[in-house]
């Protein structure tokens, strides 16, 4: 069902549950508001897009278990992602960017059995769970957590994700050093891991030293951005230091006492 870009307003009707054979529901680009209803009776629904509306409140407690793609970007959704998403065993794409989700990013998203693309940028998350080696079974290829308010050290476990090739953590408040596993995954020569083809870490409070493997990179081989951090030995002439000048010493010291 294609209802996108029709200037529809009001709330999304619960009566959609009566469309038992519906496989695709496109509601994006309207003026729909209020809570998003539970549509769990749509047992055949594969694709749901309610992006670019004014949907508010929390996400529904449950989604159709048959979902393959879920997109609700650019709304006013608050709270957290329900743990029931893990029951959507076929889910491959989730885009909830440009909302007001907060708290910690749910750890189940990094161990989901089928999720390949996770986009949670432009929300209000403040932390990422520490998972150790739990990411070893992850199917994720692309993760975007940029433009949140995430503190703490970079999530080193993501450097062990076997298929992850695109990672954006820029414009948060990460601090500490860059994990060596991130640098090794940029090279990924003979490691059995997918190479980082895009690694965006700019706009944080990361410290030196620069991991040695970065110095082995050839310009143009990968996209790495380390600018706008606290890496004062990361000259712009090194292509992986691009993304803007480093923060001032004053700003870095104001952020935390560990800045030298």
């Amino acid at each position: 069902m294609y209802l996108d870009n029709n200037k529809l307003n009001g709330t999304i009707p619960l009566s959609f549950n009566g469309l038992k054979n519906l496989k695709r529901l496109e509601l994006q680009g309207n003026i729909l508001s209020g809570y998003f209803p539970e549509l769990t009776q749509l047992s055949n629904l594969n694709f749901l897009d309610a992006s670019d509306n004014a949907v508010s409140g929390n996400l529904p407690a449950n989604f159709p278990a048959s979902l393959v793609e879920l997109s609700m970007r650019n709304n006013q959704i608050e709270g957290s992602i329900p743990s029931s998403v893990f029951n959507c065993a076929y889910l491959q794409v989730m885009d909830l960017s440009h909302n007001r989700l907060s708290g910690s990013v749910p750890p189940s998203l990094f161990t989901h059995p089928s999720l390949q693309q996770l986009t949670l940028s432009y929300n209000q998350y403040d932390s990422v769970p520490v998972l150790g080696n739990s990411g070893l079974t992850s199917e994720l290829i692309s993760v975007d957590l940029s433009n949140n308010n995430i503190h703490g050290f970079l999530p080193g476990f993501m450097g062990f994700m076997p298929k992850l090739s695109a990672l954006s953590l820029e414009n948060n408040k990460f601090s500490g050093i860059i994990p060596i596993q991130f640098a090794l995954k940029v090279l990924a020569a003979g490691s059995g891991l997918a190479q980082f083809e895009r690694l965006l870490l700019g706009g944080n409070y990361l410290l030196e030293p620069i991991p040695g493997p970065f110095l082995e990179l050839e310009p143009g081989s990968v996209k790495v951005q380390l600018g706008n951090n606290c890496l004062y030995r990361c000259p712009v002439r090194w292509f992986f230091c691009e993304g803007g000048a480093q923060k001032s010493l004053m700003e870095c010291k104001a952020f935390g006492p560990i800045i030298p």
Side-chain angles (χ1 to χ4, degrees):
M1 179 180 291
Y2 298 89
L3 298 174
D4 51 305
N5 300 300
N6 277 300
K7 298 183 180 179
L8 299 174
N9 56 29
T11 59
I12 300 169
L14 189 60
S15 58
F16 275 142
N17 272 307
L19 304 173
K20 304 294 185 182
N21 296 317
L22 192 64
K23 293 184 177 180
R24 191 178 188 97
L25 180 58
E26 298 202 25
L27 301 170
Q28 68 269 29
N30 286 292
I31 321 171
L32 298 168
S33 59
Y35 285 79
F36 196 91
E38 286 200 16
L39 300 178
T40 51
Q41 295 181 42
L42 299 181
S43 57
N44 293 298
L45 191 68
N46 300 141
F47 182 95
L48 172 59
D49 193 341
S51 302
D52 303 311
N53 279 286
V55 177
S56 60
N58 294 333
L59 289 166
N62 296 285
F63 286 97
S66 54
L67 275 181
V68 174
E69 183 166 340
L70 171 63
S71 182
M72 298 178 71
R73 66 182 177 275
N74 196 23
N75 280 285
Q76 300 168 21
I77 299 168
E78 302 174 346
S80 59
I81 299 172
S83 59
S84 61
V85 167
F86 198 78
N87 297 327
C88 299
Y90 308 103
L91 188 65
Q92 296 179 10
V93 178
M94 176 186 288
D95 186 351
L96 298 175
S97 59
H98 293 268
N99 278 289
R100 301 172 184 173
L101 298 170
S102 59
S104 181
V105 179
S108 60
L109 296 177
F110 301 110
T111 57
H112 193 282
S114 61
L115 191 61
Q116 298 177 15
Q117 180 178 323
L118 175 63
T119 306
L120 297 176
S121 55
Y122 291 94
N123 276 287
Q124 298 171 11
Y125 284 111
D126 58 25
S127 63
V128 176
V130 178
L131 296 184
N133 293 333
S134 299
L136 292 175
T137 59
S138 174
E139 294 293 312
L140 282 164
I141 297 171
S142 173
V143 172
D144 187 350
L145 302 179
S146 64
N147 296 280
N148 278 278
N149 191 38
I150 303 174
H151 291 68
F153 298 135
L154 290 172
F157 71 91
M158 292 184 182
F160 296 111
M161 287 184 171
K163 299 182 180 181
L164 189 64
S165 61
L167 176 61
S168 178
L169 301 174
E170 60 187 347
N171 300 323
N172 280 287
K173 290 184 172 62
F174 287 109
S175 57
I177 64 173
I178 300 170
I180 187 63
Q181 53 265 41
F182 277 23
L184 293 175
K185 190 169 171 60
V186 170
L187 294 175
S191 65
L193 299 175
Q195 181 185 22
F196 269 148
E197 298 176 3
R198 185 168 71 250
L199 178 62
L200 308 182
L201 303 177
N204 285 289
Y205 291 84
L206 301 177
L207 304 173
E208 286 145 347
I210 303 294
F214 280 127
L215 303 178
E216 301 178 32
L217 296 175
E218 295 292 333
S221 59
V222 294
K223 184 175 180 62
V224 177
Q225 290 190 346
L226 301 180
N228 195 20
N229 277 290
C230 300
L231 301 165
Y232 299 114
R233 295 184 181 89
C234 198
V236 177
R237 69 175 183 273
W238 293 350
F239 80 95
F240 50 82
C241 294
E242 65 182 3
Q246 299 296 320
K247 289 181 169 66
S248 70
L249 182 59
M250 181 179 297
E251 182 179 356
C252 289
K253 285 189 172 182
F255 178 75
I258 61 172
I259 306 295

